[in-house]
């Protein structure tokens, strides 16, 4: 459900990271009548991590789980709506605040400062361990650990690749425009191209052909690494899409590519056994 054209700018901006405002007229808001959703707290590494979760209201039995990995902007309204969309498809979706130890992305109004102060300071090893605790939380709150997938966007897309090599319980993953190559640091010691040979689960990568931050050359490098590793992975490039083409609240949104990517994601999950009961 899209926002009404008459909605005030103030209300349409509500819940979105300040660094992304103003929100676009294409912003999607999912009807939550048949969904149970809300904030929760997940114990992890001696601390309590905030998270958002959503599930179908009338579901019976254990639900397939999707871990939703945030963009650089944290778990703001777009990521919460991704969880609601997955819940409407029959999944238990959980999006943890993976920056919570360093601060709130909502405190930053510009992307360069957000990247410098928070995003670049988060160790991959810490994130992967936190996601393990999210998976454990899901198993105690109606989730079926035998049917678990992950998806992530931008920063979360890169993490999704890494998590597919980290957790052998993961059955499928879909990475949206996540960085594939780059400089290595103490906090980011490996990139997806480095772990292609270690993937435990099939990964679908969704990328934009006009993405200025992720070159087609780096996409081809990743494809070669995946072929060399003989993995069950695939990369789709949408020629007319740029970076963040699924971000319906931003000018970068490319509806045709986003809608096709969403259907491919659901089909990928189902292909590898992460699907709601009929």
């Amino acid at each position: 459900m899209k926002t009404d054209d008459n909605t005030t700018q103030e209300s349409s901006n509500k819940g979105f990271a300040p660094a992304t405002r103003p929100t676009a007229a294409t912003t999607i808001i999912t009807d939550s009548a048949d969904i149970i959703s809300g904030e929760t707290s997940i114990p992890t590494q001696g601390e309590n991590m905030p998270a958002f979760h959503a599930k179908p209201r009338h579901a019976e039995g254990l639900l397939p789980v999707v871990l939703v990995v945030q963009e650089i902007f944290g778990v703001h309204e777009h990521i919460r709506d991704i969880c609601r969309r997955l819940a409407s498809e029959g999944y238990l979706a959980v999006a943890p605040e993976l920056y919570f130890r360093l601060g709130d992305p909502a405190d930053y109004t510009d992307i360069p400062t957000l990247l410098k102060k928070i995003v670049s300071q988060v160790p991959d090893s810490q994130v992967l361990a936190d996601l393990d605790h999210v998976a454990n939380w899901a198993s105690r709150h109606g989730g079926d650990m035998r049917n678990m997938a992950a998806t992530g966007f931008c920063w979360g897309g890169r993490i999704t690749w890494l998590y597919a090599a980290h957790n052998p319980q993961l059955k499928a993953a879909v990475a949206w425009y996540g960085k594939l190559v780059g400089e290595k640091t103490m906090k980011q010691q490996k990139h997806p191209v480095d772990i292609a040979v270690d993937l435990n689960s099939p990964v679908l990568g969704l990328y934009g052909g006009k993405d200025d931050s992720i070159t087609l050359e780096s996409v081809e490098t990743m494809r070669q690494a995946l072929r060399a590793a003989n993995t069950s992975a695939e990369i789709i490039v949408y020629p007319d899409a740029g970076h963040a083409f699924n971000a319906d609240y931003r000018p970068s949104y490319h509806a045709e590519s986003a809608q096709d990517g969403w259907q491919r994601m659901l089909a990928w999950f189902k292909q590898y056994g992460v699907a709601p009961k009929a």
Side-chain angles (χ1 to χ4, degrees):
M1 179 187 300
K2 294 185 179 179
T3 55
D4 192 305
D5 290 340
N6 294 323
T7 300
T8 65
Q9 191 65 60
E10 181 179 356
S11 62
S12 64
N13 283 335
K14 186 178 180 181
F16 288 89
T20 69
R21 296 175 185 169
T23 55
T26 52
T27 300
I28 296 172
I29 301 174
T30 300
D31 188 339
S32 58
D34 294 323
I35 296 169
I36 296 174
S37 64
E39 308 292 336
T40 189
S41 181
I42 298 176
T44 177
Q45 305 182 72
E47 300 182 76
N48 290 317
M49 176 170 59
F52 184 85
H53 67 98
K55 64 180 181 180
R57 184 177 297 277
H58 304 296
E60 295 182 2
L62 297 178
L63 295 170
V65 175
V66 181
L67 307 183
V68 179
V69 192
Q70 67 197 46
E71 311 162 294
I72 63 171
F73 308 114
V75 185
H76 67 141
E77 187 57 29
H78 176 63
I79 298 299
R80 291 192 286 270
D81 204 73
I82 293 291
C83 291
R84 290 191 288 266
R85 295 173 206 180
L86 286 165
S88 70
E89 297 287 346
Y91 293 94
L92 167 60
V94 192
E97 291 275 11
L98 295 164
Y99 301 159
F100 79 101
R101 297 176 184 86
L102 289 168
D104 187 348
D107 293 336
Y108 296 87
T109 58
D110 66 283
I111 292 175
T113 304
L114 173 60
L115 289 170
K116 180 180 179 180
K117 296 291 187 180
I118 293 185
V119 181
S120 65
Q121 303 303 313
V122 183
D124 289 341
S125 58
Q126 175 182 282
V127 170
L128 299 178
D130 283 341
L131 288 172
D132 286 341
H133 286 283
V134 176
N136 290 334
W137 179 91
S139 73
R140 301 191 303 273
H141 291 81
D144 184 355
M145 291 297 290
R146 299 166 298 177
N147 293 289
M148 181 173 65
T151 191
F153 305 83
C154 185
W155 180 86
R158 174 181 172 274
I159 293 297
T160 298
W161 282 105
L162 299 183
Y163 197 64
H166 169 79
N167 188 345
Q169 290 182 296
L170 198 70
K171 293 185 68 175
V174 178
W176 299 72
Y177 35 84
K179 187 178 179 181
L180 298 167
V181 302
E183 294 183 9
K184 299 175 184 178
T185 67
M186 289 298 295
K187 292 182 173 65
Q188 290 87 38
Q189 297 183 5
K190 292 184 179 181
H191 292 289
V193 72
D194 303 310
I195 52 81
V197 70
D198 300 317
L199 291 175
N200 296 304
S201 59
V203 183
L204 173 65
L206 301 172
Y207 289 83
K210 296 182 178 180
D211 191 333
D212 293 331
S213 61
I214 301 174
T215 67
L216 290 177
E217 180 182 7
S218 70
V219 171
E220 185 56 33
T221 298
M222 186 65 182
R223 279 180 169 151
Q224 292 175 6
L226 293 170
R227 283 195 292 267
N230 195 29
T231 62
S232 299
E234 182 180 352
I235 292 180
I236 302 296
V237 174
Y238 295 100
D240 297 325
H243 191 69
F245 61 83
N246 189 62
D248 50 77
Y249 64 100
R250 300 176 69 183
S252 58
Y253 180 56
H254 192 265
E256 182 180 355
S257 302
Q259 291 162 10
D260 184 79
W262 187 263
Q263 293 306 315
R264 286 180 183 271
M265 178 184 71
L266 296 178
W268 189 265
F269 289 165
K270 291 176 182 178
Q271 178 181 347
Y272 292 101
V274 187
K277 296 178 181 178

